[in-house]
Amino acid sequence: VNPLRRPGHLELPQTMAENPYPIPSKRLDVVIIGAGLSGLGAAYRLQTECPDHSYAILEGRASLGGTWDQFKYPGIRSDSPMICFGFGFKPYKPYTHLAEGREILEYMRQVAEENRLDRRILYHRKVTSMSWDSTARVWALDVDVENGARRERVEASFVIACTGYYEYERAGVEELARFPGREDFEAAGGRILHPQFWQAGDLRDKTVVVVGSGATAISIVPSLAKQCRKLVMVQRSPTYIWCWPRSFSLALTLLFAPLHLLLGLAAMQAIHRQAEIWFEIFLHTLCLKLPRMARAIFALAQWAHLGSSFAALRPHLTPKYDPWTQRVCLDADGDFLATLRTGGASIVTCALERFTARGVQLADGSEIECDVVVTATGLKLVQSPGNIEISVDGTPMKLREHVTYRGAMLNDVPNLVYTLGYLNIAWTLRAELMYKWTCRLLNHMRAKGATVAVPRLRPEEVSAPRRRLVEGFTPTYFLRALDGFARQLPSRSAADPWQIHIQDHFKDKVQLAAPLDDGVLHYH
């Protein structure tokens, strides 16, 4: 008998059309929050490895997909190779490196349908708060239905938060609010577009300014440049750009095709996945250990794409920081550099100062006249998973007051797993490790007859020095979240299990395979 299961648990219907509306107020074994890539991965592992646990996925939007359903801007695509970004149990189509946003969304829908995960998704249900009751040993989740049209309460013994750590709804909005003159710009007919709320309309006779230098800017500029009369990218500082093909080169095809024929598709893709992991870890290590050599490699690769334009563009493509102390952006087929080389877009490196009636003014006093400003900047980290108000026995939980346990749970917070992916390689690789660990934990609890698992700091660990959750990674949005009174992310200790190897896949595999009876994880 599963000790997590309670009489009268919710049995979901067989088709989405029959999903309960509203949800009966009965207890589930597990609730997954979010039907994005992480949520689908968690659901697959849960129903495969813990088939006797009842579960549901609560999704605030009208469809699955998360980021890939919300963002509709032109050029949206993966920023990690799909062999790693896709699921290990269903690799993305072979001989492909990068995929467009619509292709990723279709891939996710296929995964959901083939594994009947879509029958477990309850849409239009946004979790706003959740509270743990130690007496009842249950999480009570307050859910807004249909944008607050009514509220429901769902109870679950265990919660897996698959909400990511970016606050997309306000990304770029708060960033631009810091700059004066916005009212003047909009009063004169100027428009401000945010990638997550994309409604561009006809841009054929418009001059567009794209503010930012990260993955969003690198992917949106080539596509947007084809739609508007003139495009200028304004960046406060450059970023490292690595050109990567969308599909296999001829050399890679000749290398992997024989493996496909001899060993079969599954074996070939497994080899490709491991090779990609090793390559990305090698590149990341090279950047950190030999930064001068890495700088030279980046410059040489850019010169190969830019040719005679390299000298003029180099100041705008050469960051002051070392490679991989901030995220490296992938340029699909070199489209971004080609757009700059051919004059399809220009680039200016200077901080934005203010809006004017005619456009934007930069810190050096220059003004760029434009009709549209696109905010490809201003990432903000959430203050709790999904910005959900979380409390334990009536005490509000704040991430910054907790220590991460194996990068999966938090000290003194029972039966809650939150998803953290990698920074230097594909997010999904770590997410899948976490869900395998979570299922192992749930089955271990069942075997012990326990209904609660909670990490507790040992006496000697309570006063131990705390370290940043992530070190050596210095984007502005990350430093804002990690430093000072306003820091938002949990901390870590110097040793396992209060450690997270968020940039080392192989150490992470070892840590998440450690025994579950470690003297730190307490069961009740």
Side-chain angles (χ1 to χ4, degrees), residues 222-293:
S223 296
L224 207 55
K226 299 174 183 177
Q227 302 179 21
C228 63
R229 177 169 57 86
K230 179 181 179 182
L231 188 145
V232 182
M233 175 176 160
V234 175
Q235 59 179 12
R236 180 175 52 202
S237 59
T239 191
Y240 285 102
I241 298 171
W242 183 259
C243 296
W244 202 247
R246 286 182 168 86
S247 302
F248 273 28
S249 64
L250 177 60
L252 273 180
T253 301
L254 293 175
L255 176 64
F256 280 94
L259 296 176
H260 186 177
L261 293 173
L262 293 174
L263 303 177
L265 179 60
M268 184 272 280
Q269 289 183 307
I271 294 170
H272 179 203
R273 186 179 175 96
Q274 290 302 311
E276 190 65 56
I277 292 171
W278 278 106
F279 173 76
E280 292 190 34
I281 290 176
F282 167 76
L283 182 61
H284 180 252
T285 304
L286 175 69
C287 290
L288 296 183
K289 300 295 185 182
L290 299 170
R292 293 181 65 182
M293 177 184 291

Side-chain angles (χ1 to χ4, degrees), residues 340-378:
L340 296 181
R341 184 187 72 244
T342 58
S346 58
I347 186 169
V348 176
T349 303
C350 190
L352 182 68
E353 184 74 20
R354 60 174 294 118
F355 289 94
T356 69
R358 296 180 296 183
V360 294
Q361 180 179 313
L362 306 184
D364 61 5
S366 62
E367 184 181 28
I368 302 175
E369 295 185 11
C370 64
D371 306 293
V372 177
V373 173
V374 177
T375 63
T377 185

Side-chain angles (χ1 to χ4, degrees), residues 47 90 107 109-118:
Q47 71 179 29
K90 181 180 171 61
Y107 165 73
R109 288 171 177 161
Q110 289 177 4
V111 170
E113 292 171 7
E114 289 174 6
N115 296 282
R116 299 189 173 187
L117 307 178
D118 51 349

Side-chain angles (χ1 to χ4, degrees), residues 87-108:
F87 297 114
F89 60 85
K90 181 180 171 61
Y92 192 69
K93 59 186 179 183
Y95 306 103
T96 301
H97 284 307
L98 304 178
E100 303 299 317
R102 55 182 169 74
E103 296 173 328
I104 297 172
L105 188 58
E106 179 58 30
Y107 165 73
M108 294 171 67

Side-chain angles (χ1 to χ4, degrees), residues 462-501:
V462 172
S463 58
R466 300 283 182 262
R467 299 171 62 180
R468 287 177 173 176
L469 184 69
V470 180
E471 294 177 339
F473 190 66
T474 60
T476 303
Y477 68 90
F478 236 82
L479 296 180
R480 276 199 306 261
L482 290 169
D483 290 331
F485 176 77
R487 70 183 178 91
Q488 298 163 27
L489 298 181
S491 58
R492 63 186 174 110
S493 188
D496 291 339
W498 308 106
Q499 177 64 283
I500 180 171
H501 302 290

